[in-house]
mmCIF file of all heavy atoms in Angstrom:
data_model
loop_
_atom_site.group_PDB
_atom_site.id
_atom_site.type_symbol
_atom_site.label_atom_id
_atom_site.label_comp_id
_atom_site.label_asym_id
_atom_site.label_seq_id
_atom_site.Cartn_x
_atom_site.Cartn_y
_atom_site.Cartn_z
ATOM 1 N N PHE A 18 71.222 -67.344 54.068
ATOM 2 C CA PHE A 18 70.397 -68.101 55.066
ATOM 3 C C PHE A 18 70.810 -67.830 56.489
ATOM 4 O O PHE A 18 70.064 -67.548 57.378
ATOM 5 C CB PHE A 18 70.487 -69.595 54.746
ATOM 6 C CG PHE A 18 69.785 -70.414 55.840
ATOM 7 C CD1 PHE A 18 68.428 -70.526 55.818
ATOM 8 C CD2 PHE A 18 70.529 -71.181 56.774
ATOM 9 C CE1 PHE A 18 67.747 -71.309 56.814
ATOM 10 C CE2 PHE A 18 69.867 -71.942 57.675
ATOM 11 C CZ PHE A 18 68.517 -72.014 57.698
ATOM 12 N N VAL A 19 72.158 -67.768 56.703
ATOM 13 C CA VAL A 19 72.728 -67.573 58.013
ATOM 14 C C VAL A 19 72.341 -66.216 58.577
ATOM 15 O O VAL A 19 72.025 -66.057 59.736
ATOM 16 C CB VAL A 19 74.225 -67.759 57.968
ATOM 17 C CG1 VAL A 19 74.885 -67.238 59.245
ATOM 18 C CG2 VAL A 19 74.578 -69.214 57.761
ATOM 19 N N ALA A 20 72.294 -65.214 57.705
ATOM 20 C CA ALA A 20 72.001 -63.878 58.135
ATOM 21 C C ALA A 20 70.621 -63.815 58.834
ATOM 22 O O ALA A 20 70.342 -63.065 59.685
ATOM 23 C CB ALA A 20 72.073 -62.876 57.013
ATOM 24 N N GLN A 21 69.800 -64.759 58.312
ATOM 25 C CA GLN A 21 68.373 -64.749 58.918
ATOM 26 C C GLN A 21 68.245 -65.737 60.066
ATOM 27 O O GLN A 21 67.489 -65.565 60.943
ATOM 28 C CB GLN A 21 67.452 -65.168 57.733
ATOM 29 C CG GLN A 21 67.347 -64.223 56.591
ATOM 30 C CD GLN A 21 66.824 -62.794 57.011
ATOM 31 O OE1 GLN A 21 65.964 -62.760 57.786
ATOM 32 N NE2 GLN A 21 67.469 -61.745 56.542
ATOM 33 N N ALA A 22 69.098 -66.787 59.996
ATOM 34 C CA ALA A 22 68.838 -67.871 60.937
ATOM 35 C C ALA A 22 69.634 -67.860 62.220
ATOM 36 O O ALA A 22 69.168 -68.345 63.215
ATOM 37 C CB ALA A 22 69.118 -69.245 60.197
ATOM 38 N N THR A 23 70.889 -67.407 62.233
ATOM 39 C CA THR A 23 71.692 -67.520 63.390
ATOM 40 C C THR A 23 71.129 -66.696 64.530
ATOM 41 O O THR A 23 70.812 -65.475 64.355
ATOM 42 C CB THR A 23 73.187 -67.157 63.079
ATOM 43 O OG1 THR A 23 73.896 -67.185 64.299
ATOM 44 C CG2 THR A 23 73.204 -65.741 62.500
ATOM 45 N N HIS A 24 70.956 -67.298 65.698
ATOM 46 C CA HIS A 24 70.515 -66.446 66.762
ATOM 47 C C HIS A 24 70.678 -66.980 68.215
ATOM 48 O O HIS A 24 70.943 -66.151 69.063
ATOM 49 C CB HIS A 24 69.023 -66.039 66.508
ATOM 50 C CG HIS A 24 68.037 -67.148 66.639
ATOM 51 N ND1 HIS A 24 68.141 -68.382 65.969
ATOM 52 C CD2 HIS A 24 66.875 -67.177 67.380
ATOM 53 C CE1 HIS A 24 67.114 -69.082 66.287
ATOM 54 N NE2 HIS A 24 66.313 -68.470 67.076
ATOM 55 N N ILE A 25 70.601 -68.276 68.491
ATOM 56 C CA ILE A 25 70.450 -68.618 69.895
ATOM 57 C C ILE A 25 71.863 -68.781 70.464
ATOM 58 O O ILE A 25 72.637 -69.590 70.004
ATOM 59 C CB ILE A 25 69.675 -69.904 70.060
ATOM 60 C CG1 ILE A 25 68.289 -69.815 69.434
ATOM 61 C CG2 ILE A 25 69.563 -70.308 71.501
ATOM 62 C CD1 ILE A 25 67.477 -71.127 69.403
ATOM 63 N N ARG A 26 72.089 -68.061 71.570
ATOM 64 C CA ARG A 26 73.359 -68.128 72.277
ATOM 65 C C ARG A 26 73.320 -69.025 73.515
ATOM 66 O O ARG A 26 74.198 -69.790 73.809
ATOM 67 C CB ARG A 26 73.836 -66.774 72.671
ATOM 68 C CG ARG A 26 74.151 -65.794 71.580
ATOM 69 C CD ARG A 26 74.724 -64.506 72.196
ATOM 70 N NE ARG A 26 75.074 -63.489 71.160
ATOM 71 C CZ ARG A 26 76.200 -63.421 70.525
ATOM 72 N NH1 ARG A 26 77.104 -64.358 70.764
ATOM 73 N NH2 ARG A 26 76.420 -62.469 69.605
ATOM 74 N N ALA A 27 72.240 -68.869 74.364
ATOM 75 C CA ALA A 27 72.118 -69.465 75.577
ATOM 76 C C ALA A 27 70.800 -69.550 76.116
ATOM 77 O O ALA A 27 69.922 -69.002 75.568
ATOM 78 C CB ALA A 27 73.096 -68.708 76.629
ATOM 79 N N GLY A 28 70.613 -70.272 77.249
ATOM 80 C CA GLY A 28 69.271 -70.306 77.847
ATOM 81 C C GLY A 28 69.125 -71.327 78.958
ATOM 82 O O GLY A 28 69.978 -72.102 79.233
ATOM 83 N N GLU A 29 67.866 -71.376 79.559
ATOM 84 C CA GLU A 29 67.540 -72.304 80.617
ATOM 85 C C GLU A 29 65.999 -72.286 80.763
ATOM 86 O O GLU A 29 65.288 -71.414 80.210
ATOM 87 C CB GLU A 29 68.225 -71.987 81.944
ATOM 88 C CG GLU A 29 67.813 -70.619 82.526
ATOM 89 C CD GLU A 29 68.852 -69.575 82.466
ATOM 90 O OE1 GLU A 29 69.922 -69.905 81.928
ATOM 91 O OE2 GLU A 29 68.585 -68.443 82.888
ATOM 92 N N ILE A 30 65.454 -73.164 81.612
ATOM 93 C CA ILE A 30 64.045 -73.264 81.927
ATOM 94 C C ILE A 30 63.844 -73.158 83.447
ATOM 95 O O ILE A 30 64.513 -73.861 84.211
ATOM 96 C CB ILE A 30 63.440 -74.584 81.442
ATOM 97 C CG1 ILE A 30 63.675 -74.792 79.951
ATOM 98 C CG2 ILE A 30 62.057 -74.651 81.808
ATOM 99 C CD1 ILE A 30 63.299 -76.169 79.449
ATOM 100 N N ILE A 31 62.968 -72.276 83.864
ATOM 101 C CA ILE A 31 62.686 -72.023 85.294
ATOM 102 C C ILE A 31 61.227 -72.444 85.538
ATOM 103 O O ILE A 31 60.346 -72.126 84.811
ATOM 104 C CB ILE A 31 62.930 -70.591 85.698
ATOM 105 C CG1 ILE A 31 64.318 -70.128 85.326
ATOM 106 C CG2 ILE A 31 62.625 -70.388 87.218
ATOM 107 C CD1 ILE A 31 65.475 -70.962 85.981
ATOM 108 N N VAL A 32 61.033 -73.191 86.607
ATOM 109 C CA VAL A 32 59.672 -73.700 87.028
ATOM 110 C C VAL A 32 59.294 -73.180 88.384
ATOM 111 O O VAL A 32 60.040 -73.315 89.308
ATOM 112 C CB VAL A 32 59.664 -75.259 87.006
ATOM 113 C CG1 VAL A 32 58.304 -75.743 87.310
ATOM 114 C CG2 VAL A 32 60.173 -75.758 85.634
ATOM 115 N N ARG A 33 58.103 -72.687 88.395
ATOM 116 C CA ARG A 33 57.549 -72.095 89.711
ATOM 117 C C ARG A 33 56.184 -72.680 89.972
ATOM 118 O O ARG A 33 55.266 -72.646 89.113
ATOM 119 C CB ARG A 33 57.394 -70.599 89.619
ATOM 120 C CG ARG A 33 56.964 -69.991 90.898
ATOM 121 C CD ARG A 33 56.972 -68.427 90.791
ATOM 122 N NE ARG A 33 55.954 -67.931 89.888
ATOM 123 C CZ ARG A 33 54.701 -67.573 90.333
ATOM 124 N NH1 ARG A 33 54.360 -67.777 91.651
ATOM 125 N NH2 ARG A 33 53.809 -67.164 89.509
ATOM 126 N N ARG A 34 55.952 -73.187 91.172
ATOM 127 C CA ARG A 34 54.627 -73.737 91.553
ATOM 128 C C ARG A 34 53.677 -72.591 91.876
ATOM 129 O O ARG A 34 54.093 -71.615 92.626
ATOM 130 C CB ARG A 34 54.748 -74.733 92.648
ATOM 131 C CG ARG A 34 53.367 -75.397 92.996
ATOM 132 C CD ARG A 34 53.550 -76.673 93.679
ATOM 133 N NE ARG A 34 52.203 -77.284 94.112
ATOM 134 C CZ ARG A 34 52.044 -78.479 94.635
ATOM 135 N NH1 ARG A 34 53.155 -79.218 94.912
ATOM 136 N NH2 ARG A 34 50.836 -78.906 94.942
ATOM 137 N N THR A 35 52.462 -72.584 91.430
ATOM 138 C CA THR A 35 51.597 -71.450 91.644
ATOM 139 C C THR A 35 50.451 -71.762 92.549
ATOM 140 O O THR A 35 49.570 -70.891 92.847
ATOM 141 C CB THR A 35 51.057 -70.983 90.243
ATOM 142 O OG1 THR A 35 50.322 -72.123 89.593
ATOM 143 C CG2 THR A 35 52.131 -70.439 89.371
ATOM 144 N N SER A 36 50.253 -73.012 93.080
ATOM 145 C CA SER A 36 49.179 -73.416 93.929
ATOM 146 C C SER A 36 49.689 -74.385 94.945
ATOM 147 O O SER A 36 50.476 -75.275 94.692
ATOM 148 C CB SER A 36 48.027 -74.049 93.149
ATOM 149 O OG SER A 36 47.032 -74.585 93.923
ATOM 150 N N ASN A 37 49.285 -74.174 96.235
ATOM 151 C CA ASN A 37 49.531 -75.144 97.311
ATOM 152 C C ASN A 37 48.620 -76.333 97.258
ATOM 153 O O ASN A 37 48.717 -77.283 98.051
ATOM 154 C CB ASN A 37 49.556 -74.501 98.658
ATOM 155 C CG ASN A 37 50.612 -73.488 98.769
ATOM 156 O OD1 ASN A 37 51.652 -73.526 98.042
ATOM 157 N ND2 ASN A 37 50.497 -72.496 99.692
ATOM 158 N N ILE A 38 47.546 -76.268 96.466
ATOM 159 C CA ILE A 38 46.483 -77.281 96.510
ATOM 160 C C ILE A 38 46.561 -78.078 95.151
ATOM 161 O O ILE A 38 46.708 -79.310 95.241
ATOM 162 C CB ILE A 38 45.068 -76.654 96.548
ATOM 163 C CG1 ILE A 38 44.976 -75.848 97.877
ATOM 164 C CG2 ILE A 38 43.971 -77.679 96.542
ATOM 165 C CD1 ILE A 38 43.697 -75.021 97.986
ATOM 166 N N THR A 39 46.456 -77.474 94.044
ATOM 167 C CA THR A 39 46.638 -78.247 92.750
ATOM 168 C C THR A 39 48.059 -78.210 92.315
ATOM 169 O O THR A 39 48.952 -77.478 92.786
ATOM 170 C CB THR A 39 45.786 -77.542 91.745
ATOM 171 O OG1 THR A 39 46.309 -76.220 91.416
ATOM 172 C CG2 THR A 39 44.353 -77.446 92.095
ATOM 173 N N LEU A 40 48.409 -79.134 91.396
ATOM 174 C CA LEU A 40 49.768 -79.305 90.850
ATOM 175 C C LEU A 40 49.935 -78.373 89.696
ATOM 176 O O LEU A 40 50.271 -78.832 88.533
ATOM 177 C CB LEU A 40 49.990 -80.786 90.479
ATOM 178 C CG LEU A 40 49.796 -81.736 91.592
ATOM 179 C CD1 LEU A 40 50.086 -83.200 91.039
ATOM 180 C CD2 LEU A 40 50.594 -81.464 92.800
ATOM 181 N N SER A 41 49.787 -77.099 89.961
ATOM 182 C CA SER A 41 49.838 -76.102 88.892
ATOM 183 C C SER A 41 51.178 -75.341 88.973
ATOM 184 O O SER A 41 51.627 -74.944 89.995
ATOM 185 C CB SER A 41 48.684 -75.059 89.053
ATOM 186 O OG SER A 41 47.435 -75.687 88.928
ATOM 187 N N PHE A 42 51.755 -75.111 87.749
ATOM 188 C CA PHE A 42 53.069 -74.542 87.650
ATOM 189 C C PHE A 42 53.103 -73.469 86.474
ATOM 190 O O PHE A 42 52.300 -73.573 85.548
ATOM 191 C CB PHE A 42 54.049 -75.638 87.345
ATOM 192 C CG PHE A 42 54.335 -76.558 88.496
ATOM 193 C CD1 PHE A 42 53.504 -77.638 88.765
ATOM 194 C CD2 PHE A 42 55.465 -76.357 89.293
ATOM 195 C CE1 PHE A 42 53.752 -78.499 89.804
ATOM 196 C CE2 PHE A 42 55.707 -77.225 90.351
ATOM 197 C CZ PHE A 42 54.832 -78.250 90.661
ATOM 198 N N GLU A 43 54.058 -72.569 86.643
ATOM 199 C CA GLU A 43 54.370 -71.644 85.631
ATOM 200 C C GLU A 43 55.739 -72.134 85.060
ATOM 201 O O GLU A 43 56.708 -72.302 85.904
ATOM 202 C CB GLU A 43 54.497 -70.225 86.054
ATOM 203 C CG GLU A 43 53.196 -69.510 86.150
ATOM 204 C CD GLU A 43 53.327 -68.077 86.519
ATOM 205 O OE1 GLU A 43 54.501 -67.631 86.842
ATOM 206 O OE2 GLU A 43 52.305 -67.372 86.455
ATOM 207 N N ILE A 44 55.871 -72.395 83.828
ATOM 208 C CA ILE A 44 57.147 -72.811 83.206
ATOM 209 C C ILE A 44 57.675 -71.693 82.334
ATOM 210 O O ILE A 44 56.934 -71.346 81.357
ATOM 211 C CB ILE A 44 56.892 -74.136 82.431
ATOM 212 C CG1 ILE A 44 56.435 -75.176 83.378
ATOM 213 C CG2 ILE A 44 58.268 -74.534 81.691
ATOM 214 C CD1 ILE A 44 55.836 -76.423 82.623
ATOM 215 N N THR A 45 58.838 -71.151 82.683
ATOM 216 C CA THR A 45 59.401 -70.015 81.895
ATOM 217 C C THR A 45 60.609 -70.447 81.111
ATOM 218 O O THR A 45 61.599 -70.931 81.728
ATOM 219 C CB THR A 45 59.768 -68.871 82.842
ATOM 220 O OG1 THR A 45 58.538 -68.442 83.541
ATOM 221 C CG2 THR A 45 60.281 -67.724 82.056
ATOM 222 N N VAL A 46 60.593 -70.415 79.846
ATOM 223 C CA VAL A 46 61.703 -70.722 78.982
ATOM 224 C C VAL A 46 62.392 -69.400 78.598
ATOM 225 O O VAL A 46 61.830 -68.443 78.141
ATOM 226 C CB VAL A 46 61.238 -71.411 77.643
ATOM 227 C CG1 VAL A 46 62.454 -71.785 76.842
ATOM 228 C CG2 VAL A 46 60.461 -72.702 78.019
ATOM 229 N N ILE A 47 63.768 -69.417 78.889
ATOM 230 C CA ILE A 47 64.482 -68.199 78.731
ATOM 231 C C ILE A 47 65.589 -68.436 77.696
ATOM 232 O O ILE A 47 66.280 -69.414 77.778
ATOM 233 C CB ILE A 47 65.178 -67.732 80.011
ATOM 234 C CG1 ILE A 47 64.092 -67.503 81.108
ATOM 235 C CG2 ILE A 47 65.966 -66.433 79.833
ATOM 236 C CD1 ILE A 47 64.738 -67.303 82.427
ATOM 237 N N GLY A 48 65.670 -67.576 76.630
ATOM 238 C CA GLY A 48 66.738 -67.721 75.660
ATOM 239 C C GLY A 48 67.447 -66.395 75.503
ATOM 240 O O GLY A 48 66.918 -65.256 75.805
ATOM 241 N N TYR A 49 68.722 -66.446 75.018
ATOM 242 C CA TYR A 49 69.533 -65.343 74.715
ATOM 243 C C TYR A 49 69.935 -65.374 73.273
ATOM 244 O O TYR A 49 70.516 -66.417 72.909
ATOM 245 C CB TYR A 49 70.683 -65.284 75.696
ATOM 246 C CG TYR A 49 70.258 -65.123 77.143
ATOM 247 C CD1 TYR A 49 69.920 -66.255 77.862
ATOM 248 C CD2 TYR A 49 70.300 -63.902 77.804
ATOM 249 C CE1 TYR A 49 69.511 -66.141 79.155
ATOM 250 C CE2 TYR A 49 69.951 -63.768 79.052
ATOM 251 C CZ TYR A 49 69.496 -64.881 79.780
ATOM 252 O OH TYR A 49 69.147 -64.802 81.122
ATOM 253 N N LYS A 50 69.692 -64.362 72.494
ATOM 254 C CA LYS A 50 69.871 -64.412 71.020
ATOM 255 C C LYS A 50 70.707 -63.263 70.559
ATOM 256 O O LYS A 50 70.834 -62.217 71.227
ATOM 257 C CB LYS A 50 68.516 -64.455 70.276
ATOM 258 C CG LYS A 50 67.604 -63.284 70.689
ATOM 259 C CD LYS A 50 66.519 -63.062 69.669
ATOM 260 C CE LYS A 50 67.053 -62.283 68.478
ATOM 261 N NZ LYS A 50 66.044 -61.818 67.481
ATOM 262 N N ASP A 51 71.263 -63.444 69.361
ATOM 263 C CA ASP A 51 71.985 -62.315 68.648
ATOM 264 C C ASP A 51 70.938 -61.165 68.474
ATOM 265 O O ASP A 51 69.893 -61.379 67.904
ATOM 266 C CB ASP A 51 72.552 -62.752 67.306
ATOM 267 C CG ASP A 51 73.743 -63.622 67.436
ATOM 268 O OD1 ASP A 51 74.471 -63.476 68.419
ATOM 269 O OD2 ASP A 51 73.961 -64.510 66.658
ATOM 270 N N GLU A 52 71.353 -59.965 68.756
ATOM 271 C CA GLU A 52 70.479 -58.793 68.545
ATOM 272 C C GLU A 52 70.350 -58.585 67.017
ATOM 273 O O GLU A 52 69.306 -58.128 66.532
ATOM 274 C CB GLU A 52 70.988 -57.628 69.266
ATOM 275 C CG GLU A 52 70.314 -56.282 68.842
ATOM 276 C CD GLU A 52 68.912 -56.298 69.280
ATOM 277 O OE1 GLU A 52 68.400 -57.224 69.997
ATOM 278 O OE2 GLU A 52 68.164 -55.338 68.862
ATOM 279 N N ASP A 53 71.330 -58.972 66.274
ATOM 280 C CA ASP A 53 71.263 -58.752 64.787
ATOM 281 C C ASP A 53 70.330 -59.755 64.065
ATOM 282 O O ASP A 53 70.052 -59.527 62.860
ATOM 283 C CB ASP A 53 72.663 -58.809 64.223
ATOM 284 C CG ASP A 53 73.596 -57.708 64.766
ATOM 285 O OD1 ASP A 53 73.069 -56.620 65.121
ATOM 286 O OD2 ASP A 53 74.852 -57.889 64.787
ATOM 287 N N SER A 54 69.987 -60.752 64.710
ATOM 288 C CA SER A 54 69.155 -61.764 63.985
ATOM 289 C C SER A 54 67.690 -61.395 63.917
ATOM 290 O O SER A 54 67.181 -60.826 64.860
ATOM 291 C CB SER A 54 69.228 -63.170 64.810
ATOM 292 O OG SER A 54 68.353 -64.056 64.158
ATOM 293 N N SER A 55 67.164 -61.629 62.703
ATOM 294 C CA SER A 55 65.721 -61.316 62.577
ATOM 295 C C SER A 55 64.856 -62.455 62.997
ATOM 296 O O SER A 55 63.624 -62.364 63.063
ATOM 297 C CB SER A 55 65.457 -60.976 61.113
ATOM 298 O OG SER A 55 65.696 -62.128 60.255
ATOM 299 N N ILE A 56 65.427 -63.566 63.321
ATOM 300 C CA ILE A 56 64.641 -64.740 63.827
ATOM 301 C C ILE A 56 64.309 -64.507 65.295
ATOM 302 O O ILE A 56 65.155 -64.126 66.063
ATOM 303 C CB ILE A 56 65.458 -66.077 63.657
ATOM 304 C CG1 ILE A 56 65.766 -66.291 62.269
ATOM 305 C CG2 ILE A 56 64.654 -67.190 64.267
ATOM 306 C CD1 ILE A 56 64.595 -66.594 61.371
#
Side-chain angles (χ1 to χ4, degrees):
F18 174 75
V19 167
Q21 297 297 316
T23 178
H24 69 307
I25 305 177
R26 295 185 181 275
E29 67 252 359
I30 303 170
I31 305 301
V32 180
R33 182 177 73 89
R34 186 159 177 174
T35 58
S36 171
N37 293 339
I38 300 173
T39 64
L40 304 181
S41 300
F42 290 82
E43 283 185 350
I44 299 166
T45 301
V46 180
I47 306 171
Y49 297 81
K50 54 161 279 187
D51 286 330
E52 172 63 9
D53 296 334
S54 172
S55 61
I56 300 292

